[in-house]
Amino acid sequence: MTQLTDLTITHALEKLRAKQISSVELTRAYLDQIEKLDPTIKAYLTITADEAIQAAEAADKARAAGTDKPLLGIPLGIKDVLSTKGVETTCGSKILKGYVPIFSATVIERLQAAGMVMLGKLNCDEFAMGSSTENSAYQITRNPWDLERVPGGSSGGSAAAVSAGLAAGALGTDTGGSIHQPGALCGIAALKPSYGRVSRYGLV
């Protein structure tokens, strides 16, 4: 039987829309997987478990009332260089330890409007400067396929989380390879949109 954390976003949405699973079930499955595996992989800097369950409950209520959105009830992870209102954003640097933005990046607002459930903030090279996620001020993220190898970077936390089933999908950022390089190293699909296609507002 396919585990919930093995479902693609498309297949998870199909099951959610058919009411074969709930967003709360899906979210709890990811949180359980995070609790089990992330102490070794170290993809997450912040886990927003309570907020994720609340968002999942709201998604289930919305779906029961007949609402549908492109990502309603889908649990995602967010690279910690994107501002998230009310949730610490450190950019992998101790300079920003304790910084809690009073606004969210445009991409976060749009994902929330689309119905995502945010699981937490993902590790990255400090201020996204690096190609291995060994340069975070907090921890080194490991490649889920081989814990002795790097996951790439700077979006290594994002790639490792998706590869290990710690999120259905994740948001990264890319200046010179920081999305597709860790995607390749972690064996997942990674998309870098054309420059200017996605707003950078709120990206530190």
Side-chain angles (χ1 to χ4, degrees), residues 150-164:
V150 300
S154 62
S155 304
S158 299
V162 174
S163 182

Side-chain angles (χ1 to χ4, degrees), residues 83-95:
S83 295
T84 44
K85 184 178 180 179
V87 178
E88 186 178 33
T89 298
T90 72
C91 302
S93 176
K94 291 192 176 174
I95 293 171

Side-chain angles (χ1 to χ4, degrees), residues 41-44 122-124 133 141 151-162 170 182:
I41 295 169
K42 300 184 183 300
Y44 281 89
L122 294 159
N123 196 27
C124 58
T133 317
T141 299
S154 62
S155 304
S158 299
V162 174

Side-chain angles (χ1 to χ4, degrees), residues 97-181:
K97 184 173 176 59
Y99 168 58
V100 178
I102 59 172
F103 72 100
S104 285
T106 298
V107 289
I108 303 302
E109 290 181 343
R110 291 188 178 181
L111 285 173
Q112 288 171 333
M116 79 141 172
V117 171
M118 189 176 81
L119 294 167
K121 305 298 290 290
L122 294 159
N123 196 27
C124 58
D125 289 302
E126 189 169 11
F127 289 106
M129 292 298 292
S131 299
S132 64
T133 317
E134 295 173 291
N135 301 304
S136 166
Y138 296 97
Q139 60 196 26
I140 294 174
T141 299
R142 305 293 180 182
N143 191 313
W145 292 97
D146 182 345
L147 299 177
E148 297 301 313
R149 297 182 185 273
V150 300
S154 62
S155 304
S158 299
V162 174
S163 182
L166 309 182
L171 211 57
T173 60
D174 189 319
T175 301
S178 293
I179 288 177
H180 44 271
Q181 184 250 39

